[in-house]
């Protein structure tokens, strides 16, 4: 069997999911988890050149297979994050928690902060910026911020301190003006003055010891335990309890509530945020449930068909849902490109039961329908793709192809122009436009468009383009462009 045909049966899925949960706390037993796991195992098996899932399983659970196990986990983790994510928590930090801690540590002038599950670093960098705003004479303090994550690749990115614009959307301007600089490549860099405070380390919350035993002033573990089930959450919470100073604070994600699992922490409302403080060890504190800890499914329902695990009301949050959608589309794309048309179609149909599915999924479905001669249905999906995203270059391109089939060359030309307007790096629309100009005898314009197509073919490509290249490889297009340019130049 080839990894391309991978389908994990129930027992094999359980083996993989069990091993991963055991070692990392991450659960993949529900339906979305199954899809994630199947797609990621498939990618990793292909990379490692394995054909049998059980052989690959034997590798990742063996001592020699630790690197392969890590790669699989890195493929599986959701690393969504942003600067100043959950602003009310940062307001609570700036106005109350940090000033209180600064006052309490005045004699030692030492502060210890742990960002657990820090992803690409936005969270610890935001905390440092907040701290620098409130601490008088930071040079007189020993400030230690340890940021840990299980994913070494994401930590590599974090250490660079370079980010693109979207991640700054919640960052108040005073911070971006002071601590961020724009680079010539239009990326943004966190200034070394901030970066110097953060020590990034790879650590698995289920295994490694806490960086500060009993002396940590502030722990942030936000949007990490949401992927765990009860035993793992309890293990992590008792680790945090041991790590935290008696007057320290724990911050978790807004959909997470430690009191559902442990009486080690008590909630405190600070402004519009909830924070957690360690309960006194000798006094049994009843588990309190702050009203904010309502599950978020009211505004953000889980994907249909989700077989949710027991233990807690697990819900798919919007970022998790987005991640799942991406994996779903990738799995369908994978099936489509490996000629498993029915499987791809079924996957996409399941997806379309949801509202607001990305344009790319409709484009993929349209391609699939065209290959099976169902043009009318395909046209409907192209229309929906454009309703979702009027700048979907690939959908405009497909519409152009439909117009060509109808022999309406003027309209086709307009569609290809729309497509290029939406994405001026999309080679196929340049190619088709060039052919239309050539047919009209406008060789100069044709040659120019062929040149543009060649340039675009040399640039970075998008995954979705592979759907549109079926039966027409980039090499063939390149060759056709070169031949056509020669021909056009003879006429000019
Ligand atoms: C969704 S991100 C959250 C990032 C950040 N805390 C925030 O709220 O913006 C979750 C992170 O937790 C990490 N993670 C998941 N399981 C982990 C484990 N067992 N040990 C350490 N990190 C883990 C993932 O690699 C990922 O980077």
């Amino acid at each position: 069997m080839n990894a391309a045909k991978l389908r994990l049966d129930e027992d094999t899925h359980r083996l993989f999911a069990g091993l991963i949960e055991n070692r990392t706390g991450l659960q993949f037993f529900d339906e979305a988890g199954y899809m994630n796991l199947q797609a990621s195992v498939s990618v990793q098996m292909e990379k490692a050149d394995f054909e049998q899932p059980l052989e690959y399983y034997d590798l990742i659970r063996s001592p020699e297979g630790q690197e392969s196990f890590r790669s699989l986990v890195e493929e599986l983790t959701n690393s969504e994050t942003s600067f100043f994510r959950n602003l009310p928590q940062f307001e609570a930090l700036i106005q109350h928690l940090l000033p209180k801690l600064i006052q309490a540590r005045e004699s030692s002038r030492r502060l210890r902060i742990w960002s657990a599950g820090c992803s690409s670093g936005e969270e610890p960098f935001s905390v440092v910026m907040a701290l620098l705003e409130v601490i008088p004479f930071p040079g007189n303090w020993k400030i230690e911020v340890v940021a840990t994550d299980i994913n070494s690749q994401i930590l590599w990115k974090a250490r660079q301190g370079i980010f693109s614009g979207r991640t700054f959307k919640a960052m108040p301007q005073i911070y971006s003006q002071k601590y961020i600089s724009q680079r010539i490549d239009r990326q943004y860099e966190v200034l070394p003055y901030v970066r110097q405070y953060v020590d990034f380390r790879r650590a698995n919350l289920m295994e490694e010891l806490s960086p500060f035993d009993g002396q940590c002033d502030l722990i942030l573990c936000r949007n990490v335990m949401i992927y765990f089930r009860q035993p793992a959450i309890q293990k992590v919470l008792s680790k945090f309890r041991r790590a935290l100073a008696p007057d320290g604070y724990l911050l978790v994600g807004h959909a997470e509530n430690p009191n559902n699992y442990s009486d080690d922490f008590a909630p405190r409302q600070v402004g519009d945020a909830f924070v957690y403080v360690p309960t006194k060890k000798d006094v049994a504190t009843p588990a309190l449930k702050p009203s904010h800890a309502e599950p978020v499914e009211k505004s953000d329902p889980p994907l249909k068909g989700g077989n949710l695990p027991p233990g807690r009301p697990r819900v798919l949050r919007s970022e998790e849902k987005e991640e799942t959608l991406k994996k779903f589309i990738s799995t369908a794309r994978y099936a489509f490109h490996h000629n498993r048309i029915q499987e791809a179609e079924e996957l996409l149909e399941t997806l379309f039961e949801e509202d607001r599915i990305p344009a790319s999924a409709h484009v993929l479905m349209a391609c699939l329908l065209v290959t099976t001669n169902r043009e009318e249905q395909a046209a409907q999906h192209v229309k929906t793709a454009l309703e979702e995203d009027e700048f979907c270059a690939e959908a405009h391109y497909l519409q152009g192809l439909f117009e060509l089939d109808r022999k309406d060359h003027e309209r086709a030309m307009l569609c290809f122009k729309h497509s290029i307007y939406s994405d001026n790096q999309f080679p196929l629309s340049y190619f088709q436009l060039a052919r239309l100009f050539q047919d009209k005898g406008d060789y100069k314009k044709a040659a120019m468009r062929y040149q543009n197509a060649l340039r675009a073919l040399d640039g970075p490509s998008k995954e979705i383009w592979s759907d549109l290249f079926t039966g027409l490889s980039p090499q063939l297009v390149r060759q056709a462009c070169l031949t056509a340019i020669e021909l056009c130049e003879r006429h000019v």
Side-chain angles (χ1 to χ4, degrees):
M1 192 190 77
N2 178 312
K5 302 231 177 344
L6 181 74
R7 196 172 245 294
L8 293 180
D9 62 44
E10 212 179 309
D11 288 342
T12 316
H13 166 235
R14 208 168 303 142
L15 279 179
F16 275 100
L19 177 72
I20 292 164
E21 183 171 37
N22 215 355
R23 290 193 185 167
T24 68
L26 296 163
Q27 84 78 21
F28 294 94
F29 285 97
D30 59 357
E31 196 167 315
Y34 170 73
M35 297 307 296
N36 273 351
L37 195 57
Q38 181 164 270
S40 302
V41 167
S42 161
V43 169
Q44 291 299 316
M45 274 178 61
E46 195 137 271
K47 270 194 199 157
D49 211 13
F50 271 83
E51 298 206 333
Q52 297 296 337
L54 286 178
E55 284 175 12
Y56 173 67
Y57 171 77
D58 280 341
L59 169 78
I60 60 170
R61 74 188 179 127
S62 70
E64 307 76 58
Q66 289 322 290
E67 270 313 306
S68 305
F69 179 78
R70 282 187 185 190
S71 303
L72 175 61
V73 171
E74 286 172 6
E75 179 89 28
L76 283 165
T77 45
N78 174 3
S79 48
E80 179 82 26
T81 184
S82 53
F83 282 92
F84 286 81
R85 183 182 193 178
N86 193 341
L87 208 49
Q89 280 187 342
F90 279 92
E91 280 158 5
L93 273 174
I94 293 162
Q95 284 158 25
H96 301 279
L97 312 187
L98 292 173
K100 259 185 154 173
L101 285 170
I102 291 166
Q103 197 180 17
R105 304 290 183 267
E106 181 56 45
S107 56
S108 66
R109 299 245 167 129
R110 189 168 179 183
L111 276 172
R112 287 167 261 212
I113 298 171
W114 179 15
S115 163
C118 63
S119 187
S120 39
E122 283 90 330
E123 179 179 278
F125 288 143
S126 304
V127 173
V128 171
M129 292 175 200
L131 183 59
L132 291 174
E133 279 309 292
V134 292
I135 197 164
F137 307 111
N140 293 343
W141 285 71
K142 186 168 169 46
I143 299 168
E144 294 163 80
V145 181
V146 173
T148 60
D149 202 284
I150 198 169
N151 185 335
S152 337
Q153 275 191 37
I154 207 83
L155 288 172
W156 182 86
K157 181 177 186 308
R159 287 187 192 102
Q160 311 304 305
I162 296 167
F163 301 92
S164 58
R166 208 173 75 93
T167 186
F168 297 104
K169 58 186 185 292
M171 182 185 245
Q173 216 182 1
I174 56 157
Y175 295 97
S176 45
Q177 281 166 352
K178 272 193 189 167
Y179 302 118
I180 304 292
S181 71
Q182 188 166 14
R183 294 157 38 101
I184 45 171
D185 60 2
R186 293 165 129 205
Q187 304 258 77
Y188 298 86
E189 184 174 349
V190 174
L191 296 185
Y193 174 56
V194 173
R195 298 209 314 263
Q196 66 172 341
Y197 287 103
V198 187
D199 175 9
F200 288 102
R201 300 181 194 167
R202 187 199 173 270
N204 178 353
L205 276 170
M206 299 302 288
E207 287 174 3
E208 265 79 18
L209 295 173
S210 314
F212 309 109
D213 217 18
Q215 295 176 313
C216 193
D217 300 305
L218 171 67
I219 297 178
L220 297 101
C221 184
R222 306 183 310 155
N223 311 299
V224 180
M225 288 182 279
I226 192 164
Y227 303 107
F228 295 178
R229 291 198 288 185
Q230 185 160 357
I233 296 176
Q234 284 171 334
K235 187 168 172 182
V236 172
L237 286 175
S238 67
K239 179 182 272 203
F240 290 158
R241 173 60 195 259
R242 284 195 304 278
L244 209 55
D247 59 345
Y249 300 99
L250 168 68
L251 265 58
V252 297
H254 73 272
E256 296 159 322
N257 178 4
N259 289 127
N260 282 341
Y261 308 97
S262 148
D263 56 11
D264 274 344
F265 291 94
R268 296 274 179 274
Q269 182 157 12
V270 184
D272 288 334
F274 277 87
V275 305
Y276 292 84
V277 295
T279 48
K280 303 249 176 320
K281 274 253 157 84
D282 43 351
V283 184
T285 311
L288 300 170
K289 280 194 186 176
S291 54
H292 84 294
E294 285 279 292
V296 291
E297 74 258 50
K298 280 181 196 136
S299 56
D300 190 10
L303 280 171
K304 278 176 194 148
N307 181 14
L308 302 178
R312 60 175 299 222
R314 191 179 146 74
V315 289
L316 291 173
R317 298 165 62 256
S318 61
E319 70 205 29
E320 188 180 0
K321 186 172 160 179
E322 248 175 56
E323 198 64 25
T324 310
L325 280 178
K326 271 196 220 150
K327 290 257 163 129
F328 234 94
I329 298 170
S330 291
T331 314
R333 172 167 293 128
Y334 193 79
F336 173 55
H337 288 287
H338 289 84
N339 236 353
R340 300 187 332 242
I341 305 291
Q342 195 183 342
E343 184 187 333
E345 189 169 349
E346 277 169 17
L347 279 168
L348 289 169
E349 288 296 0
T350 318
L351 206 63
F352 296 138
E353 285 170 22
E354 297 290 315
D355 292 333
R356 316 273 349 236
I357 295 304
S360 62
H362 289 285
V363 169
L364 174 59
M365 187 64 162
C367 294
L368 183 153
L369 291 164
V370 168
T371 23
T372 49
N373 302 321
R374 287 174 284 169
E375 273 80 9
E376 246 174 62
Q377 281 167 272
Q380 196 51 45
H381 277 280
V382 168
K383 197 168 158 248
T384 318
L386 288 171
E387 280 161 12
E388 276 305 323
D389 175 7
E390 62 175 310
F391 296 112
C392 178
E394 298 78 15
H396 284 297
Y397 170 75
L398 284 176
Q399 209 164 36
L401 293 186
F402 294 146
E403 298 300 350
L404 280 184
D405 274 351
R406 280 188 214 115
K407 309 260 179 290
D408 190 337
H409 291 189
E410 286 309 311
R411 287 184 73 99
M413 202 169 234
L414 211 63
C415 294
F416 296 132
K417 283 183 180 168
H418 271 308
S419 170
I420 293 167
Y421 178 71
S422 304
D423 179 356
N424 65 6
Q425 300 300 316
F426 183 43
L428 286 176
S429 285
Y430 282 120
F431 179 64
Q432 296 295 353
L433 197 57
R435 290 177 54 167
L436 285 172
F437 278 124
Q438 191 178 353
D439 287 349
K440 279 171 71 170
D442 195 338
Y443 297 106
K444 203 169 162 195
K445 282 190 180 160
M448 240 169 79
R449 300 311 186 280
Y450 282 125
Q451 296 281 11
N452 288 343
L454 283 178
R455 245 192 307 277
L457 279 168
D458 286 338
S461 68
K462 286 192 194 162
E463 209 182 354
I464 186 176
W465 294 352
S466 60
D467 307 337
L468 300 148
F469 268 110
T470 42
L472 190 76
S473 73
Q475 290 78 4
L476 275 178
V477 177
R478 176 183 303 281
Q479 198 46 55
C481 288
L482 290 170
T483 316
I485 289 171
E486 237 187 88
L487 214 135
C488 291
E489 279 172 353
R490 262 188 254 142
H491 282 90
V492 178

